[in-house]
Amino acid sequence: MNIVNLIKDQLTGDVLGKLGASIGESEEKTRAAAAVAVPSLLSVLAGLVTSGQGADKLIAALRNFDADSLTRLRTEVTQGDHGKIRNQGGDILGSLVGGDLPALINVLTKFSGVGAVALKGLLSYLAPLILSVIAAQLKGKALTPASLGGFFADQKANISGALPPGFSLAAVPSSAPHAEAPGIPNWLLPLAGLVLLGIGAWYFLGNQAAEAPPVGEPEAKKAAPVPTPIEPKIPAPADLKVAIPTADEVTKSLGDVYTSATQALTSVKDAATAEAAAPTITGLDAKIDAAKAVWEKLPDAAKDAVKKATSENLGTFKTLVDKTLELPGVGEKLKAILDALIAKLTAFSA
């Protein structure tokens, strides 16, 4: 079962034609936009479940849908009753996606070429459709965070495989993979084990040396004096409490940079808006410098994770920069600033 294909099967020609007319786009552009919007919304929903923060909201929303909802939605669209669906879908998006919705719309708009208003209308229809298909697949099963987590884990390859090459949701925080719960990083565990082993050896040997021979034992049977062992130079347990930088810190900081920069560039339409966006983009230098300071303290194994995230996000961001600089009057305002920003971000892939 491929959840993406099941959803796309509902988007037949008559549905896309009516839906395109309602948002002011052709059937062809609506189909192309839906092809990337469906796996994008599924990625966001999967992120909500894996974070543990949105699973309950998604469960509550799913309880309002079932297999019969699919027939109702298709009927309402083909009959031109779009207002009700938009209102319902808008409420769902606001509840589940919330503050990430503008970032999601911006990313999809840049990629598909469909206007933001039209795209929001498309997402408002797709949201209840997607929930209806998911609810149909989970019919008869208990709706719990665990069952939803298992469902999205099974569909992870299908969802990621449906996203077009070069497309990235890095600017949408809720779609990003979530870090494991805080704790000692995996690469530190062997060191911690050695420390604990050393402490145990010191404690054991020290106690053995301090023990006195049994009372009344003949002198001839007494063991030779045991040399006092040299106390190993082992870090005190308190040393383990020192904060150790992790790749997740750097990745999250850079993710915030990409989000802020993308939002700033999306607002640029001409020379005036470019000048207004310049301070925001310039202000990101400090955050990049702070991330670089943490980056330099990471072990090589941890740096690899940051390099991978950078390679995934930087190409998409450069494409957005190139398109923005093509706008009349924008290059002279932002080119130098954006070149410097990209140079700093590229350093994380070296």
Side-chain angles (χ1 to χ4, degrees):
M1 183 266 292
N2 185 325
I3 188 64
V4 179
N5 290 341
L6 290 177
I7 295 168
K8 288 183 178 180
D9 287 345
Q10 304 301 319
L11 300 172
T12 56
D14 56 336
V15 171
L16 287 171
K18 293 285 187 178
L19 188 58
S22 74
I23 64 175
E25 295 288 352
S26 67
E27 178 181 330
E28 183 179 354
K29 288 193 75 172
T30 303
R31 183 187 304 278
V36 66
V38 167
S40 296
L41 269 176
L42 286 169
S43 294
V44 171
L45 295 180
L48 292 175
V49 173
T50 55
S51 72
Q53 298 175 353
D56 291 338
K57 288 184 179 180
L58 181 54
I59 289 172
L62 284 170
R63 288 191 173 125
N64 295 320
F65 295 91
D66 52 36
D68 295 335
S69 302
L70 292 172
T71 303
R72 185 175 66 254
L73 285 169
R74 287 175 57 89
T75 301
E76 289 174 352
V77 171
T78 53
Q79 291 180 352
D81 187 8
H82 306 123
K84 181 179 179 181
I85 299 175
R86 282 198 182 211
N87 291 337
Q88 182 187 33
D91 291 341
I92 291 171
L93 290 171
S95 173
L96 297 179
V97 183
D100 289 344
L101 183 58
L104 177 60
I105 291 175
N106 286 338
V107 171
L108 293 173
T109 296
K110 290 286 185 181
F111 191 86
S112 68
V114 175
V117 175
L119 199 44
K120 184 176 182 181
L122 176 62
L123 292 176
S124 295
Y125 171 75
L126 291 177
L129 174 66
I130 289 173
L131 292 183
S132 296
V133 175
I134 294 176
Q137 301 310 305
L138 296 176
K139 184 177 181 181
K141 299 179 181 179
L143 284 177
T144 65
S147 64
L148 279 182
F151 172 81
F152 281 109
D154 291 341
Q155 295 299 318
K156 182 178 179 181
N158 295 327
I159 295 171
S160 60
L163 292 170
F167 180 79
S168 173
L169 289 169
V172 186
S174 60
S175 69
H178 293 271
E180 296 178 358
I184 297 178
N186 290 338
W187 61 266
L188 185 60
L189 291 177
L191 175 60
L194 289 175
V195 171
L196 293 175
L197 181 61
I199 292 173
W202 172 82
Y203 177 79
F204 176 76
L205 292 175
N207 281 347
Q208 289 294 318
E211 287 182 1
V215 177
E217 184 179 359
E219 282 292 324
K221 293 184 180 181
K222 291 182 180 179
V226 178
T228 301
I230 299 175
E231 183 175 333
K233 295 181 179 179
I234 300 171
D239 291 343
L240 296 178
K241 298 179 181 179
V242 176
I244 298 172
T246 67
D248 291 335
E249 295 177 43
V250 180
T251 302
K252 184 180 185 304
S253 295
L254 293 179
D256 292 341
V257 170
Y258 283 116
T259 298
S260 299
T262 298
Q263 292 175 345
L265 291 182
T266 302
S267 69
V268 174
K269 307 298 180 185
D270 49 31
T273 51
E275 188 171 357
T280 299
I281 299 172
T282 303
L284 297 175
D285 284 349
K287 192 154 194 172
I288 297 176
D289 291 340
K292 189 68 186 304
V294 178
W295 153 270
E296 291 173 348
K297 298 176 183 178
L298 295 178
D300 291 340
K303 284 184 177 179
D304 288 341
V306 181
K307 291 178 183 179
K308 181 180 178 182
T310 299
S311 65
E312 292 173 350
N313 298 329
L314 190 56
T316 302
F317 181 66
K318 286 181 178 178
T319 301
L320 174 60
V321 168
D322 291 341
K323 290 182 178 179
T324 303
L325 292 177
E326 291 173 358
L327 298 172
V330 172
E332 60 184 88
K333 300 289 185 183
L334 292 181
K335 189 175 189 311
I337 297 174
L338 290 171
D339 285 347
L341 183 71
I342 289 175
K344 285 194 170 188
L345 291 172
T346 302
F348 291 92
S349 62

